[in-house]
Amino acid sequence: MTTPTTLSGRALLLLLKLRAVLMLLILLAIFSALSPTFFTANNLSILAKHVSISALLATGMTLVVLTGGIDLSVGSIAGLSGIVAGLLINGLTLGGSTHYPPIPVVILAALLTGALAGAANGLLIARFSVAPFITTLGMLYIARGTALLLSNGHTFPNLAGSQAHHNTGFPALGQSFLLGIPTPVWIALIIAAIAALVAARTPFGRHIYAVGGNERAARLAGIHIARVKLLTYILSGLCAALVGLIIASQLESAHPATGESFELNAIAAVVLGGTSLMGGRGSIGGSLIGALVIGVLADGLVMLGVSEFWQIVIKGVVIVLAVTVDQLQSRVQFRFLNALFRPKQEAAQ
Amino acid sequence: MKYTQPSTNLGAPCLDSETWARKLAPRLTRLLLTLTACHRAPQLPLIAIIVPSQDNPYFKAEAEAAAARALQLGYRVRIDAHNDDAYRQDNLIDAAIASNAAALILDNAGTDASISTVRRATQAGIAVFLIDREISAHGIAKAQIISDNDQGARLAAQAFAQALNNHGDYAELIGRESDANAQIRTHGFHAILDASPQLKLVAAQSANWSQSEAFQKTETMLQAHPSISGIIAGNDTMALGAAAAVKGANRPDIRITGFDGSNDAINAINSGELTATVLQPAAFISQLAVDQADLYLHTHTTGKPELQIIPCDLVDKSNAAHYKDFAKLP
């Protein structure tokens, strides 16, 4: 009698575990049926490019959330990194002469900006025990304000650079293709693959899960908690800086308000992917699926011509639905495990 | 209570503090002098300038033009931004009342949401001059000087229809849908475009005035409707986002028009990425508002009707050289 219940229980559990994938497949089926151009190579390539933005942010965010933290500053850091790139490409005036750094230096400087902002977050959280929500909320304002100060509110135009200053080539980062796939998609895939490998296979990765699962136990086990947390925020800042660079490169201009509310998309992707906001449970792969769900939803609704207001409502419904199913999963899992172990316990007695 | 004198046997520290005092005295005097100067400065009347944001070239030009003219006429100025938040606008106007502003130049945060705030400022004795956006109540502000969004939208639509030879599929990028100007512009576009039966709207999306959002949405719309041969946008930043997407899709045949007349859009018209835009004379309107505020503060009348509607200009390749910083060059 126990076999069928455990089997159906096992099937239900598998179904719930794959809920994000299922949701993605259902959305793909709906949009493909309703729009003849949705499931074409061209559109999927553009869709992947759009998804790569929130996927990159979600990758960094997942590492932070796994430690039990949160990073609200990623959108602002993306905006700031774009502005740093715009500033440097348009020439930096120092001591009367204007310098035009080469593009690799520009990219490094923008990435360094993101890493520094992330390090500031991490230091405050790990060393001074400020709540992550508050620290990164502060950084959200600081980074945005700094971007506005650096640009004086203007947009930096013309990021194509010029031959005369030997700083052309920046647009390639966001606009070029490698083997027929947009470069931003490659960047997101590579970063996510490295992050997934690090999270699953390295001591540092296991430490991230341990810190989020039970910080006290992790400390007693000799894990350097402050270092683990600091590193995750630096990585999140780096991912955000990459996003800012890609967007500035795609638009060939840098606007200080770029990235507003991006952090919410990233958090939504992480949650949709099944990562627990309490930390300790989740995966990079899940967050990628989450980012895909949000991206497919956004692009599909635009293709169908659904109004902006409905798009916002539908996105909200999908997020709430996903978290509800998440709760359902843990309950079913609990019952399933109970059903599995009770006979043995009885036998032991 | 009497302070106990420090004992005199502490020779060296006493000397030290004396030299400190000698060093500090002139600095303190200077500081006091500056403070009194600061205190005297408020004798110049204050003009408060409140605009929606300072990271948008249009609002920035509007604020800077008003500030420049007010300084020129001998006022102190203060620029603030309410970020389209009526509550923040309310707080900023409280601050203006508290600092005894003589006049307020306001690009408001909402047709209806701003009425009570403007009334409160007027009752506190501040002469309020509204620019760019009107409020739906009259007789409160001293003047409402706005650019003619409807006429501008019709101009843009005419240029757009002409560029498409009055036939073909097109897409529209709408501004933030809760913004009255977004509605007036799309209404004006359609007053012209719907009259041409061969022009067909195949996709319309809001991109919330944002360049990166317009970029992504245009890419997706082009996938859904490859037949699109034109994109009409509710402002220049969205038009520039669409232009980046069109460039990425390698579709130089697609014609794009914007609205606002920013320098970036004018550069894009010169390089052929945009077909046309409509220039709202933001700088001119701001100067007009400050001039009338100055007149009102001296004579208690502006000599003009409250609602003043300033027409927009079409900017295309033929006349792009004549416009800069939201104004026609002299």
Side-chain angles (χ1 to χ4, degrees):
Chain A
M1 224 187 101
T2 47
T3 327
T5 45
T6 45
L7 250 187
S8 68
R10 209 172 276 172
L12 181 62
L13 194 61
L14 189 71
L15 218 63
L16 286 172
K17 267 192 172 163
L18 289 176
R19 66 189 179 279
V21 181
L22 281 178
M23 200 179 259
L24 181 63
L25 291 177
I26 291 169
L27 286 177
L28 284 174
I30 292 176
F31 289 130
S32 305
L34 293 180
S35 165
T37 45
F38 184 81
F39 210 80
T40 57
N42 236 337
N43 185 51
L44 292 182
S45 152
I46 282 175
L47 177 69
K49 195 171 75 178
H50 294 171
V51 169
S52 65
I53 300 290
S54 36
L56 268 173
L57 292 177
T59 300
M61 185 72 77
T62 309
L63 297 178
V64 168
V65 170
L66 280 176
T67 67
I70 193 130
D71 191 349
L72 300 178
S73 62
V74 290
S76 299
I77 294 179
L80 177 60
S81 116
I83 286 295
V84 167
L87 185 77
L88 293 178
I89 292 176
N90 279 280
L92 193 62
T93 308
L94 280 176
S97 64
T98 309
H99 301 276
Y100 295 91
I103 293 304
V105 175
V106 170
I107 290 176
L108 276 179
L111 290 178
L112 192 68
T113 309
L116 280 177
N121 277 336
L123 274 179
L124 283 170
I125 291 162
R127 297 273 175 204
F128 298 97
S129 309
V130 185
F133 190 95
I134 296 163
T135 310
T136 57
L137 184 67
M139 185 55 73
L140 180 153
Y141 290 116
I142 295 169
R144 181 71 66 206
T146 311
L148 287 164
L149 283 171
L150 285 177
S151 66
N152 195 17
H154 288 294
T155 299
F156 285 113
N158 215 356
L159 296 197
S162 73
Q163 293 287 355
H165 300 127
H166 305 290
N167 63 353
T168 55
F170 182 65
L173 182 69
Q175 297 181 15
S176 63
F177 291 81
L178 272 176
L179 307 174
I181 292 173
T183 310
V185 178
W186 283 114
I187 297 175
L189 276 177
I190 292 170
I191 301 278
I194 294 173
L197 214 68
V198 165
R201 298 289 158 108
T202 64
F204 171 61
R206 303 323 297 169
H207 291 172
I208 290 178
Y209 281 92
V211 168
N214 187 336
E215 192 170 326
R216 209 175 129 73
R219 177 167 294 139
L220 292 176
I223 292 173
H224 199 316
I225 289 174
R227 191 189 301 155
V228 171
K229 284 189 177 174
L230 177 65
L231 264 173
T232 58
Y233 284 96
I234 291 178
L235 291 173
S236 178
L238 271 173
C239 287
L242 255 177
V243 163
L245 282 169
I246 290 172
I247 291 177
S249 161
Q250 283 173 345
L251 297 174
E252 290 181 28
S253 64
H255 184 58
T258 297
E260 256 170 24
S261 80
F262 276 24
E263 59 279 355
L264 298 181
N265 268 344
I267 294 171
V270 170
V271 169
L272 275 173
T275 297
S276 160
L277 282 179
M278 311 309 261
R281 183 168 67 83
S283 68
I284 303 282
S287 300
L288 283 193
I289 304 283
L292 271 166
V293 168
I294 286 181
V296 166
L297 198 62
D299 276 15
L301 292 175
V302 168
M303 288 190 103
L304 295 185
V306 175
S307 107
E308 165 88 6
F309 298 162
W310 275 111
Q311 289 180 31
I312 298 171
V313 171
I314 293 171
K315 191 156 126 187
V317 168
V318 166
I319 292 170
V320 172
L321 206 67
V323 180
T324 314
V325 177
D326 192 54
Q327 288 302 316
L328 205 63
Q329 180 201 340
S330 26
R331 216 179 306 161
V332 169
Q333 203 159 9
F334 183 69
R335 264 190 225 152
F336 177 57
L337 288 177
N338 261 358
L340 208 68
F341 287 116
R342 200 172 298 134
K344 281 184 189 166
Q345 284 168 350
E346 278 164 7
Q349 284 166 1
Chain B
M1 285 288 280
K2 266 181 87 176
Y3 290 108
T4 46
Q5 288 286 327
S7 52
T8 41
N9 61 352
L10 295 164
C14 260
L15 263 180
D16 259 1
S17 58
E18 260 174 48
T19 44
W20 265 110
R22 221 172 289 150
K23 271 186 186 169
L24 270 179
R27 289 185 194 184
L28 273 175
T29 339
R30 227 174 299 148
L31 183 68
L32 275 174
L33 278 175
T34 359
L35 280 177
T36 31
C38 279
H39 186 68
R40 204 170 291 151
Q43 304 310 320
L44 278 181
L46 171 71
I47 291 188
I49 301 163
I50 303 178
V51 294
S53 80
Q54 293 208 62
D55 61 14
N56 171 306
Y58 178 82
F59 299 129
K60 204 172 160 63
E62 165 179 284
E64 282 171 357
R69 178 58 62 100
L71 287 172
Q72 203 182 343
L73 294 174
Y75 292 91
R76 280 186 306 135
V77 294
R78 196 170 68 202
I79 304 176
D80 290 300
H82 56 60
N83 295 322
D84 281 315
D85 175 351
Y87 178 67
R88 180 160 165 73
Q89 169 179 273
D90 205 61
N91 290 347
L92 289 172
I93 285 178
D94 277 339
I97 294 172
S99 38
N100 259 330
L104 170 67
I105 310 291
L106 172 68
D107 189 344
N108 71 73
T111 313
D112 298 308
S114 305
I115 297 173
S116 69
T117 315
V118 171
R119 184 179 289 125
R120 199 150 42 81
T122 305
Q123 280 166 355
I126 301 180
V128 182
F129 290 80
L130 299 178
I131 53 172
D132 186 43
R133 303 170 179 173
E134 55 183 316
I135 57 170
S136 52
H138 295 273
I140 308 173
K142 299 293 172 272
Q144 304 197 35
I145 312 174
I146 58 173
S147 65
D148 197 336
N149 271 273
D150 182 60
Q151 169 260 355
R154 286 164 194 257
L155 275 182
Q158 274 158 5
F160 182 72
Q162 206 178 355
L164 295 187
N165 290 323
N166 276 310
H167 72 87
D169 291 352
Y170 73 97
E172 182 185 356
L173 289 169
I174 307 168
R176 183 166 290 130
E177 288 187 83
S178 51
D179 186 327
N181 276 344
Q183 303 296 346
I184 295 171
R185 288 177 198 174
T186 176
H187 189 262
F189 291 159
H190 287 286
I192 299 294
L193 299 179
D194 294 355
S196 299
Q198 284 174 303
L199 275 174
K200 197 167 147 238
L201 178 72
V202 293
Q205 280 290 325
S206 166
N208 294 309
W209 307 125
S210 146
Q211 192 175 356
S212 49
E213 214 174 314
F215 172 74
Q216 290 206 345
K217 290 202 164 158
T218 303
E219 282 194 321
T220 306
M221 288 197 294
L222 286 177
Q223 287 303 315
H225 309 282
S227 61
I228 286 172
S229 57
I231 299 165
I232 188 163
N235 79 343
D236 282 344
T237 41
M238 294 193 295
L240 291 168
V246 162
K247 195 176 154 202
N250 202 14
R251 289 286 306 274
D253 57 301
I254 295 179
R255 315 304 294 269
I256 305 166
T257 60
F259 199 111
D260 279 348
S262 71
N263 290 349
D264 291 338
I266 289 173
N267 291 338
I269 288 173
N270 282 326
S271 69
E273 287 169 51
L274 295 189
T275 302
T277 187
V278 165
L279 183 126
Q280 301 193 75
F284 175 68
I285 287 175
S286 291
Q287 289 162 0
L288 211 60
V290 175
D291 286 345
Q292 290 184 15
D294 183 53
L295 192 67
Y296 181 85
L297 292 175
H298 287 109
T299 66
H300 294 282
T301 173
T302 64
K304 294 268 170 54
E306 182 189 339
L307 189 62
Q308 302 165 42
I309 297 176
I310 313 294
C312 302
D313 292 357
L314 182 76
V315 182
D316 57 19
K317 211 156 192 170
S318 68
N319 65 355
H322 302 304
Y323 293 92
K324 207 189 168 201
D325 296 334
F326 297 98
K328 188 166 188 171
L329 296 174

